Amino acid sequence: MKVCLVLTHQCNLGCSYCYAGEKFKSSMSWEIGLRSLRLAFSRPGPVEVSFFGGEPMIAFDSLARLTRVASTWASRAGREIRFSMTTNATILKDKHLRFLRHYNFFVGVSVDGVEEVQDTQRPFLSGRGSGQLVWRNLEAFCHQLEDFRVLMVIRPGTLESLPQAVERMYRMGVSKVSLLPDTEADWSNSRALLTRVYQQLARVCFLSMLTDEPMWISPFVEQHPAQLAGSEGSGGCGFGADELAVSPAGHFYPCARLVGPDRRTEVRIGSLADGLDWERIAQLQLQADEKMNSCGTGGCKCLALMPGDQQAQLANVAMFTEITGEACQNALEMVAA
Ligand code: SF4
């Protein structure tokens, strides 16, 4: 089972689009952390423990202790275990890198673009830009970790320099990038630019797949024939059934991105105190399926439960699905020519 521990609501950045909502100093207690780990081990099969925030590196001591405990339990019980975390790459010392390497963490590193873009989209709370520091730390990840993924939130204002940022990452040694559209943004005037940039990046991805140094750019790589052949289709996250997120207060959500300030009781699916609410899970799944079917989008069901104008967000998802499909078709034809 995959359990994501949202270790803290605190963050040192003030991203313009932050989905985590209001930041406050509330961290997961040791007891809630341990009970969350027990939950991850409660079902047979591989165990996956991931850490999220806020910024989880703010709670590094707790992250490290919980990782050691989970690793010990797994080796005593002969269970397979995987660790992952998502970080904004502003807190990184050698000891952190050594730790992440030792426990073979899969790390998601959030970087939105070249320094100027990063400075504007993801400044520190003080307003100071985070670009220089984050690119320096990204280089350290490239040198020290075998496998990690860059997570890039894309917005209309970041599109123009996106290919430049991806190319620079590739030269630096990054081999996996996920483009995560901000579905709350107003894309109405950016369709032509988005189409051009997606076509360019789909070609980079597909061409690199012919080499020994592929650049896996999601959402294009999933449509590459080599990947389609080996995949059983992506249904997004486990949505409570075999995957859930635990808030610092011990409430369950289908996905870490839905936790926010932990006040949306309508998307909670239980708690450590009361257990899983299967009725609520079934009801939310149905609700999400209906919304997503009505606008022809696929992927992670959590998209249909995000706060804000869901109709507009799903319309944006449908547009991205269409533009991605065209870009991949175009890239396939170019590679075949
Ligand atoms: S790093 Fe993550 S949690 Fe922190 S402000 Fe940015 S989006 Fe929000």
Side-chain angles (χ1 to χ4, degrees):
M1 180 170 189
K2 179 171 179 179
V3 174
C4 178
L5 282 69
V6 177
L7 288 181
T8 176
H9 288 289
Q10 215 184 334
C11 186
N12 53 351
L13 295 190
C15 304
S16 47
Y17 50 79
C18 181
Y19 51 83
E22 184 194 332
K23 313 290 182 317
F24 46 96
K25 283 190 185 172
S26 172
S27 299
M28 184 174 274
S29 68
W30 177 240
E31 199 214 324
I32 291 203
L34 278 184
R35 288 171 71 190
S36 306
L37 292 185
R38 269 187 219 116
L39 181 69
F41 279 81
S42 63
R43 298 198 196 148
V47 179
E48 258 189 271
V49 176
S50 65
F51 297 102
F52 204 81
E55 170 50 42
M57 290 300 272
I58 288 178
F60 178 74
D61 288 350
S62 161
L63 184 156
R65 268 179 90 193
L66 290 164
T67 301
R68 286 189 196 105
V69 169
S71 177
T72 307
W73 289 356
S75 57
R76 279 194 196 140
R79 303 278 300 270
E80 189 188 325
I81 188 159
R82 281 195 299 266
F83 295 105
S84 60
M85 69 173 281
T86 305
T87 177
N88 65 23
T90 56
I91 302 172
L92 190 67
K93 297 203 171 109
D94 284 347
K95 70 168 186 179
H96 299 136
L97 285 164
R98 278 198 300 277
F99 172 86
L100 296 171
R101 256 202 330 260
H102 180 78
Y103 288 99
N104 205 15
F105 262 74
F106 186 74
V107 182
V109 186
S110 301
V111 186
D112 282 3
V114 293
E115 278 90 346
E116 301 74 40
V117 166
Q118 176 77 15
D119 285 350
T120 321
Q121 301 293 315
R122 299 175 67 84
F124 283 100
L125 287 174
S126 64
R128 184 167 57 90
S130 64
Q132 262 196 356
L133 174 65
V134 162
W135 275 86
R136 201 167 59 232
N137 286 340
L138 183 59
E139 194 148 18
F141 280 121
C142 289
H143 290 144
Q144 304 283 340
L145 294 189
E146 274 189 21
D147 200 12
F148 68 95
R149 180 183 293 276
V150 174
L151 309 169
M152 302 182 82
V153 172
I154 61 163
R155 311 185 79 214
T158 71
L159 276 179
E160 196 72 59
S161 61
L162 185 60
Q164 185 197 342
V166 173
E167 191 196 323
R168 195 167 141 200
M169 287 175 187
Y170 184 55
R171 276 193 273 114
M172 207 181 237
V174 173
S175 60
K176 293 191 175 109
V177 170
S178 286
L179 305 180
L180 309 169
D182 176 1
T183 52
E184 281 194 276
D186 177 5
W187 290 94
S188 49
N189 294 321
S190 309
R191 194 179 166 116
L193 179 58
L194 178 65
T195 303
R196 179 161 61 75
V197 169
Y198 262 38
Q199 293 201 348
Q200 192 177 344
L201 291 176
R203 284 183 206 163
V204 168
C205 175
F206 282 25
L207 276 175
S208 77
M209 300 287 280
L210 300 171
T211 73
D212 292 339
E213 294 185 341
M215 179 62 149
W216 288 36
I217 307 177
S218 178
F220 313 120
V221 66
E222 290 85 350
Q223 295 196 33
H224 187 276
Q227 296 305 309
L228 283 174
S231 90
E232 289 164 12
S234 158
C237 65
F239 206 85
D242 53 13
E243 175 176 354
L244 57 82
V246 187
S247 76
H251 298 129
F252 297 161
Y253 291 83
C255 162
R257 296 177 73 85
L258 290 174
V259 174
D262 196 11
R263 292 192 196 118
R264 294 181 67 215
T265 50
E266 73 276 16
V267 288
R268 278 190 198 154
I269 55 170
S271 67
L272 283 168
D274 302 325
L276 269 167
D277 183 343
W278 290 103
E279 212 172 301
R280 174 64 64 83
I281 292 174
Q283 180 201 336
L284 288 176
Q285 277 182 333
L286 194 70
Q287 190 182 321
D289 282 342
E290 275 170 6
K291 279 193 190 153
M292 296 184 89
N293 289 340
S294 71
C295 67
T297 57
C300 185
K301 288 187 176 63
C302 299
L303 284 170
L305 302 175
M306 295 300 276
D309 183 346
Q310 290 164 1
Q311 210 68 30
Q313 291 182 55
L314 289 174
N316 278 334
V317 174
M319 179 193 73
F320 271 91
T321 307
E322 187 192 330
I323 290 178
T324 301
E326 285 166 10
C328 289
Q329 188 54 38
N330 178 288
L332 260 187
E333 284 162 13
M334 188 208 66
V335 171

